[in-house]
Amino acid sequence: MATAVKSSSSSDGRSRLSIHFDVPESSHPDRWAQLWNAGDFLPWDRGGPNPALKDLLNQEKGLIGESWVENENGSRRRKTALVPGCGRGYDVLLLAGHGYEAYGLEISDKAVQNCLEEKRTNGDQYMVDMHPDHVGSSTFLKGNFFAGEWTNAVPGGTFDLIYDYTVRFSRPCNAA
């Protein structure tokens, strides 16, 4: 019974999102901002990091390696990670807690404010090891992932890891 209710609720949420975004794609950034500003319908917010990412970092680290890389000269640098459409920043903070130089990208000023609030109030809960050599950093940026202007705020403008499970689904598929 609980599954049917949850499924129905998920279906209602998808329908509501579909209706909300039934506008020209050029209007989508403003539509995301409207949802964040209202704050009463954020169905993607589960209140914490994605369980799959937690499992990957805690149990399957061999799939992505360490959170640092050794350069040609033998020095180490932290790997950079990007979470586009990072929501309240839970996954960004988890990656930073595992040693990454993590960046979260959101389209809305309000979403970025929410990320910074999550970092301020709960950031230490994401740290695996409080030793300064093991703790990464988290940075939250406002920008449109598909426009790319935000990459100017990232040293080097590239990432070693991109963790996404929402943004790629936020654009309509074009039929062939």
Side-chain angles (χ1 to χ4, degrees), residues 53 57-58 61 64-69 76-82 91-103 123 126-138 160-161:
L53 180 60
L57 293 170
N58 292 324
K61 200 169 197 165
I64 57 173
E66 294 296 328
S67 59
W68 51 267
V69 64
R76 289 183 177 182
R77 69 162 179 84
R78 292 192 186 289
K79 286 183 179 175
T80 55
L82 171 67
D91 296 332
V92 176
L93 295 169
L94 184 65
L95 285 161
H98 280 268
Y100 286 86
E101 189 175 318
Y103 292 83
Y126 297 90
M127 299 303 146
V128 174
D129 179 349
M130 293 303 284
H131 190 281
D133 290 343
H134 302 157
V135 176
S137 64
S138 58
D160 300 295
L161 173 71

Side-chain angles (χ1 to χ4, degrees), residues 1-173:
M1 179 81 170
T3 303
V5 170
K6 184 175 183 180
S7 176
S8 174
S9 176
S10 295
S11 177
D12 292 346
R14 283 191 297 274
S15 293
R16 187 170 168 189
L17 283 173
S18 180
I19 292 166
H20 185 76
F21 286 102
D22 189 18
V23 296
E25 191 174 334
S26 62
S27 299
H28 285 193
D30 291 336
R31 302 297 274 185
W32 284 112
Q34 288 172 6
L35 290 172
W36 278 110
N37 289 338
D40 59 353
F41 179 65
L42 306 171
W44 56 86
D45 187 345
R46 296 181 179 166
N50 186 305
L53 180 60
K54 288 171 69 173
D55 288 347
L56 178 67
L57 293 170
N58 292 324
Q59 299 171 11
E60 301 293 338
K61 200 169 197 165
L63 294 173
I64 57 173
E66 294 296 328
S67 59
W68 51 267
V69 64
E70 195 168 306
N71 293 330
E72 303 80 38
N73 63 7
S75 65
R76 289 183 177 182
R77 69 162 179 84
R78 292 192 186 289
K79 286 183 179 175
T80 55
L82 171 67
V83 182
C86 68
R88 291 189 192 272
Y90 308 122
D91 296 332
V92 176
L93 295 169
L94 184 65
L95 285 161
H98 280 268
Y100 286 86
E101 189 175 318
Y103 292 83
L105 180 67
E106 262 302 341
I107 195 97
S108 151
D109 286 323
K110 180 65 174 170
V112 172
Q113 290 171 6
N114 289 342
C115 292
L116 295 172
E117 178 65 17
E118 178 66 16
K119 180 179 179 177
R120 186 183 68 71
T121 57
N122 298 313
D124 59 345
Q125 294 178 19
Y126 297 90
M127 299 303 146
V128 174
D129 179 349
M130 293 303 284
H131 190 281
D133 290 343
H134 302 157
V135 176
S137 64
S138 58
T139 302
F140 297 100
L141 305 170
K142 180 186 177 225
N144 182 340
F145 177 75
F146 299 106
E149 81 289 347
W150 55 272
T151 59
N152 297 329
V154 179
T158 62
F159 298 92
D160 300 295
L161 173 71
I162 298 176
Y163 182 71
D164 170 44
Y165 62 97
T166 57
V167 168
R168 68 188 172 110
F169 296 112
S170 69
R171 290 180 71 119
C173 295

